[in-house]
């Protein structure tokens, strides 16, 4: 399945509902192509839920929405076992009633409005794609995807997501206000009917699995892997950061680079792919020290600073001159038989 063509169809259909937001739509497709969970942030009324519902409709399979509220219980998400009596025999037995988490795409709307106890009900599902209830483990399927939304501005009546939960989201997408001309288009398009009803499915769940398998075959040079590791390690030693990105963050950035390369029609990853995706893949995983937060130091700003300070590795193509930065397609777009000597320019 061609990722570039699928991404084009995905973007076309999504633009029938979402006006503008090019970067957000591209990131949403990449997370989909990786089977990674998405956290969408934005102020009220900026189409967070609409984007999540639209993405779900573009992918074949089942869809469930969970409206997270302060009184929501873990069993309202995962399901529960009920006592059922056989009317003919009178024998009572337990029957498992699956919760809304048993779907291909689950929309966790306003996820930060429910207490941590209920938020934690998604931890096992998001990481292991299974749910354990009363000692029994129930699989969710390989195409399980969580799309969560939250309002980062309103704090009254909300509960901040714990680090373990944030770390399970592959990418964080931010939705802002549209441009004036885009807002006029929104008014015109929704004059009579809502365009969400007209979008068509882009791929089935089986085709999505094929796409995810193809993306994982994208070549990543060892120097690019080294750059990712050094960049993530730099978040752990930054003076303003209390908790840096985990190895799960390194893997998310690695996978996201593969997805972007596939989306652009390449079969290899370049460092520019990593730079482009570092902020949406890493910023939500960082915890800033309290002393730095007072001075309004933001995780995204720390990531951008590290992108400027962490050097990219270099390669010495055999038989050629001095080191050449690995920042172009030519540097890594070589055949697997080419021999290279990798050096570290930060030494």
């Amino acid at each position: 399945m061609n990722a570039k063509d699928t991404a084009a169809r995905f973007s076309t259909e999504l633009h029938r509902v979402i006006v503008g937001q090019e970067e957000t739509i591209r990131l949403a497709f990449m997370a989909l192509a990786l089977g990674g969970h998405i956290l969408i942030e934005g102020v009220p009324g900026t189409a967070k839920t609409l984007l999540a519902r639209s993405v779900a409709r573009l992918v074949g399979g089942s869809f469930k929405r969970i409206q997270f509220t302060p009184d929501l219980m873990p069993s309202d998400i995962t399901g529960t076992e009920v006592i059922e009596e056989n009317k003919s025999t009178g024998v009572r037995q337990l029957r498992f009633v699956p919760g809304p988490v048993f779907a291909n795409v689950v929309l966790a709307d306003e996820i930060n409005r429910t207490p941590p106890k209920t938020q934690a009900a998604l931890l096992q599902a998001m990481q292991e794609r299974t749910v354990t209830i009363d000692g029994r483990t129930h699989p969710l399927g390989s195409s399980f995807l969580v799309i969560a939304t939250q309002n980062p501005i309103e704090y009254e009546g909300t509960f901040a997501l714990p680090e373990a939960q944030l770390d399970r989201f592959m990418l964080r997408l931010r939705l802002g206000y549209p441009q004036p001309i885009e807002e006029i288009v929104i008014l015109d398009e929704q004059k009579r009917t809502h365009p969400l009803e007209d979008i068509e499915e882009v791929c089935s769940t089986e085709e999505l699995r094929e796409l995810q398998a193809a993306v994982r075959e994208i070549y990543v040079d060892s120097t690019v892997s080294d750059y990712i590791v050094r960049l993530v390690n730099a978040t752990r030693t930054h003076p303003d950061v209390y908790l840096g990105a985990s190895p799960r963050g390194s893997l998310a950035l690695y996978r996201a680079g593969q997805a972007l390369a596939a989306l652009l029609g390449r079969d290899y990853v370049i460092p520019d792919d990593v730079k482009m995706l570092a902020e949406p893949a890493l910023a939500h995983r960082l915890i800033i020290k309290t002393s730095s937060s007072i001075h309004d130091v933001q995780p995204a700003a720390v990531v951008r600073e590290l992108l400027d300070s962490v050097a990219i590795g270099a390669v010495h193509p055999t038989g050629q001159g001095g080191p050449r930065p690995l920042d172009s397609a030519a540097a890594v777009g070589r055949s697997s038989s080419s021999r290279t000597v990798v050096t570290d320019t930060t030494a």
Side-chain angles (χ1 to χ4, degrees):
M1 190 173 187
N2 188 291
K4 188 175 182 180
D5 293 341
T6 305
R9 297 200 308 273
F10 180 88
S11 178
T12 299
E13 289 296 321
L14 209 49
H15 273 305
R16 296 173 66 179
V17 181
I18 306 295
V19 179
Q21 306 289 353
E22 296 286 348
E23 182 67 16
T24 300
I25 289 175
R26 180 167 64 172
L27 290 172
F29 173 78
M30 289 166 49
L32 202 62
L34 293 167
H37 308 297
I38 309 170
L39 177 63
I40 306 175
E41 288 187 353
V43 297
T46 51
K48 299 185 301 297
T49 303
L50 180 60
L51 173 62
R53 290 177 60 196
S54 302
V55 170
R57 289 190 64 136
L58 293 175
V59 182
S62 56
F63 167 71
K64 295 289 180 65
R65 170 178 174 162
I66 308 172
Q67 187 65 48
F68 280 71
T69 57
D71 60 346
L72 194 72
M73 299 296 291
S75 59
D76 296 330
I77 298 174
T78 59
T80 187
E81 289 191 334
V82 297
I83 299 176
E84 192 173 63
E85 182 176 343
N86 190 312
K87 294 183 178 180
S88 59
T89 63
V91 176
R92 293 183 177 184
Q93 59 185 8
L94 290 174
R95 180 173 65 88
F96 175 63
V97 179
V101 76
F102 286 86
N104 294 116
V105 180
V106 176
L107 168 58
D109 204 13
E110 296 189 327
I111 190 173
N112 59 334
R113 288 199 175 276
T114 198
K117 177 180 72 172
T118 305
Q119 292 174 1
L122 285 174
L123 291 177
Q124 181 186 6
M126 293 176 68
Q127 180 61 30
E128 303 173 20
R129 286 175 165 77
T130 59
V131 171
T132 301
I133 299 173
D134 290 339
R136 297 181 181 180
T137 300
H138 307 271
L140 295 175
S142 59
S143 298
F144 174 71
L145 172 68
V146 173
I147 305 176
T149 69
Q150 71 171 357
N151 177 2
I153 303 299
E154 191 174 8
Y155 295 106
E156 185 175 353
T158 63
F159 303 85
L161 294 179
E163 292 74 29
Q165 188 106 44
L166 287 172
D167 202 34
R168 281 165 166 76
F169 288 103
M170 176 167 283
L171 298 174
R172 180 181 63 180
L173 283 55
R174 290 184 177 273
L175 286 175
Y177 289 117
Q179 298 297 321
I181 186 64
E182 294 173 343
E183 200 158 356
I184 292 174
V185 173
I186 294 173
L187 297 179
D188 291 339
E189 289 186 347
Q190 298 191 29
K191 184 177 182 180
R192 292 183 178 85
T193 60
H194 200 290
L196 179 62
E197 305 302 323
D198 299 325
I199 62 174
E200 300 177 356
E201 181 181 305
V202 170
C203 62
S204 65
T205 53
E206 183 60 34
E207 290 173 329
L208 181 60
R209 281 192 290 268
E210 292 176 5
L211 175 63
Q212 292 169 353
V215 167
R216 289 175 178 259
E217 296 300 320
I218 297 295
Y219 173 73
V220 183
D221 188 82
S222 59
T223 311
V224 177
S225 298
D226 176 71
Y227 176 55
I228 292 173
V229 171
R230 287 189 289 109
L231 184 62
V232 172
N233 268 280
T235 67
R236 303 166 188 165
T237 57
H238 192 281
D240 291 323
V241 177
Y242 172 73
L243 182 67
S246 68
R248 189 186 282 128
S250 302
L251 186 58
L253 189 53
Y254 182 97
R255 296 295 189 201
Q258 290 180 304
L260 180 57
L263 185 150
L264 297 176
R266 282 190 270 105
D267 60 357
Y268 51 87
V269 179
I270 61 176
D272 283 345
D273 297 333
V274 176
K275 286 190 170 186
M276 188 178 300
L277 297 166
E279 187 175 330
L282 298 180
H284 63 287
R285 306 172 194 273
L286 308 187
I287 299 178
I288 302 299
K289 292 179 179 178
T290 304
S291 57
S292 300
S293 298
I294 295 174
H295 300 287
D296 199 30
V297 175
Q298 299 296 324
V302 171
V303 174
R304 290 193 294 269
E305 177 189 331
L306 293 176
L307 288 174
D308 292 333
S309 62
V310 177
I312 300 172
V315 294
H316 291 278
T318 303
Q320 297 186 15
R324 183 157 57 98
L326 187 61
D327 59 357
S328 66
V332 292
R334 61 186 188 278
S335 66
S336 58
S337 60
S338 299
R339 296 192 300 118
T340 59
V341 179
V342 180
T343 62
D344 185 358
T345 58
T346 62

